Every structure is written in structure tokens, then in C-alpha cells.
Amino acid sequence: MIQVEMALSFNSIEDINELEGTFTIGIFLDVTWQDQYISWNVSECPGVYFAYIPQAWVWIPDITLYNAATNFHNSMTNVPLFANPNYMWQSRPGIISSVCEMNFKDFPFDTQVCTLIFGSFMWDMGIGGLNLSVGESTINEDTFVSTSWKVVDITTERKVELIWGYKYSLVYYDVYLQRYSVYYWSTAILPNLAITIVALLALWIADINSRLGVAITAMLAIIAVMVSTVCILQYIMFVGSISYHIYCYFNSSVVCIINDTSNQGNYMVGRV
């Protein structure tokens, strides 16, 4: 069994598409392994400590992104191999896109977990197979950032799973992303909260027609804010915590209108 070690360098966040459920990042994929057919004695070859070898000449581990949203191999640059007397090393830069299942239950205060699953596609852990282990990964904190998301943590775990009746060694990278919620506070929650407070304060207005006018205006303003928010978000369904705020604001204004309408009706009946 060939021992293969892989490590990722997280360089940049290219895109987080919530509509399609994809996570696109720029990485360096480092893979090291031993090849018994490529070795030499440094004492017999003075000054030769490493060599560049074309990929077509040697066997290369077929490390694949299992949950890739696009063609993984086409997104990785084809680069030469580095060899020394002890091991082979390949470092491939590229941009990869993986499937990321989004959960908007706590939107806009949600934390998403995007998982990258790496492993060999052809070689299992049987005789003459491949055993994949995890090396040290690095994060470029200056460039691995997003304007809408905060990278909270990145964890790695090696698992052995049964696929097609064979054992495969897989490496899981879990990227924890926390949404910046300040934007949604300022564009959706706070405006509706302010409008609702105005609508509730209108209950203390002496004139019934004025109270009814304020309540209707508040309801229309909330609808306008909701429509503008939906136009901005486009594809986010209001199934999370933001929906509870907006629905409460909306219902409060409706209650005000119903209450004022009822009072006005009783007032007119009394006059008749």
C-alpha cells in the first residue's frame, strides 16, 4: 500500500453562491509520496538533491474532490513533479468549487459549514492501493476573506469509508462560515422595528382617523421594506429568524388597523 500525504493551503475565497449552493476557493494542493522506482544515492550523484520530472513519466496519486461542483482536474494547473532521494512532491495551485448545503433557518445570524471531501477515485486501501493521510494545512489570513462571511474555523479529519464494497481513505475539510448580519439589521430588521413602534404609539392618538392613517401608512411602509429587501436578497427565502421579526412587525400593524377600524365602526354606530 502506498502512503500518500496531502495538505491544503487556503489562499482565497472566490465565491459563495447561496442560490446554487456552491463554495469556490483558491488553494494549493500539496501531495507527497514515495516512489521506489525513482530514487538515487546523493553520494553517487554529487549536487543532485532534487529533479523536475514530467507528469507523463511517473505514477501520480489521483487525488479528487469528491463533492466537486465543477470538473476538479481541469481547475488544477498541470505542473512538474519534484523528486528527491526520499519522496515525490507535487504542489498544484488552482480554483476549486464544491457543493455546499446551505441551511437558512437562522438567517441572517446563520453559520454555514462547507465541506471539502478529498480522496483517491481509483485506488482503495487494498493490496497495492492507496492510504491517504492528512498533512499540515495553512490559511492565508490576508486573502482568505469575504465581504459577507467571516471564516470562523477550518477543521480536518481523516475517515475510512466503504464505497462500492471497498474501503477508501478520505480527508474531510470543514470550513465554518459566519454571516455578517449588520447589513440585514440596517436594511430589514431595524426599519421595520422603527415603523412598528410608530404604529403602536399611534394607538394613543386621540383622533381615530389619524390613528387609522398612521397604522395604514406603517403597514404600507413595512410592505415596501419587505419588497426592497427581497429584491436585494433575490433568492433568500424568509424562513429564518429574520422572518419572525418581519412577520411580528407586519402583524402588529394589522392589529392596529383592525383595532382602529373596529373603534371607528363603533363610533359611527353610536352616532347613528
Side-chain angles (χ1 to χ4, degrees), residues 229-257:
T229 305
V230 171
C231 292
I232 295 173
L233 300 179
Q234 297 180 3
Y235 44 81
I236 297 296
M237 297 299 295
F238 288 97
V239 296
S241 57
I242 191 174
S243 63
Y244 306 143
H245 293 283
I246 294 179
Y247 291 154
C248 287
Y249 304 155
F250 183 82
N251 290 335
S252 298
S253 296
V254 172
V255 170
C256 293
I257 293 174

Side-chain angles (χ1 to χ4, degrees), residues 31 33 35 38 50-61 78-84 87-92:
V31 182
W33 71 98
D35 193 325
I38 301 179
F50 67 93
Y52 297 96
I53 302 176
Q55 293 190 21
W57 291 8
V58 295
W59 175 86
I60 302 175
N78 188 20
V79 298
L81 298 175
F82 302 90
N84 68 17
Y87 63 88
M88 304 282 293
W89 172 57
Q90 183 187 49
S91 180
R92 293 185 290 168

Side-chain angles (χ1 to χ4, degrees), residues 113-116 153-157 159 172-176:
V113 181
C114 294
T115 303
L116 307 172
D153 191 17
I154 298 178
T155 61
T156 60
E157 182 181 5
K159 297 181 180 180
Y172 284 69
Y173 290 88
D174 293 328
V175 182
Y176 292 81

Side-chain angles (χ1 to χ4, degrees), residues 6-10 25 27-31 62-68 72-73 75-76 92 96-98 115-121 130 132-134 137 156-159 161 163 168-175:
M6 67 162 291
L8 282 187
S9 296
F10 296 88
I25 60 175
I27 65 168
F28 270 91
L29 173 61
D30 297 328
V31 182
D62 62 326
I63 304 301
T64 303
L65 181 62
Y66 271 57
N67 59 337
F72 172 71
H73 292 286
S75 63
M76 303 297 289
R92 293 185 290 168
I96 61 173
S97 181
S98 69
T115 303
L116 307 172
I117 306 175
F118 289 92
S120 173
F121 186 77
L130 184 148
L132 187 62
S133 60
V134 185
S137 299
T156 60
E157 182 181 5
R158 177 186 177 275
K159 297 181 180 180
E161 296 186 2
I163 303 176
Y168 284 80
S169 58
L170 304 177
V171 175
Y172 284 69
Y173 290 88
D174 293 328
V175 182

Side-chain angles (χ1 to χ4, degrees), residues 31-53:
V31 182
T32 58
W33 71 98
Q34 290 184 339
D35 193 325
Q36 59 180 343
Y37 299 105
I38 301 179
S39 63
W40 65 90
N41 193 336
V42 178
S43 61
E44 297 177 357
C45 305
V48 182
Y49 297 101
F50 67 93
Y52 297 96
I53 302 176

Side-chain angles (χ1 to χ4, degrees), residues 15-24 69 97-104 107 110 112 114 149 179 184 230-237:
D15 182 42
I16 300 176
N17 193 318
E18 299 171 59
L19 176 61
E20 298 180 358
T22 58
F23 176 54
T24 305
S97 181
S98 69
V99 176
C100 182
E101 184 177 353
M102 302 286 183
N103 184 357
F104 301 111
F107 176 87
D110 52 330
Q112 305 295 339
C114 294
W149 298 88
R179 189 190 303 272
Y184 303 98
V230 171
C231 292
I232 295 173
L233 300 179
Q234 297 180 3
Y235 44 81
I236 297 296
M237 297 299 295

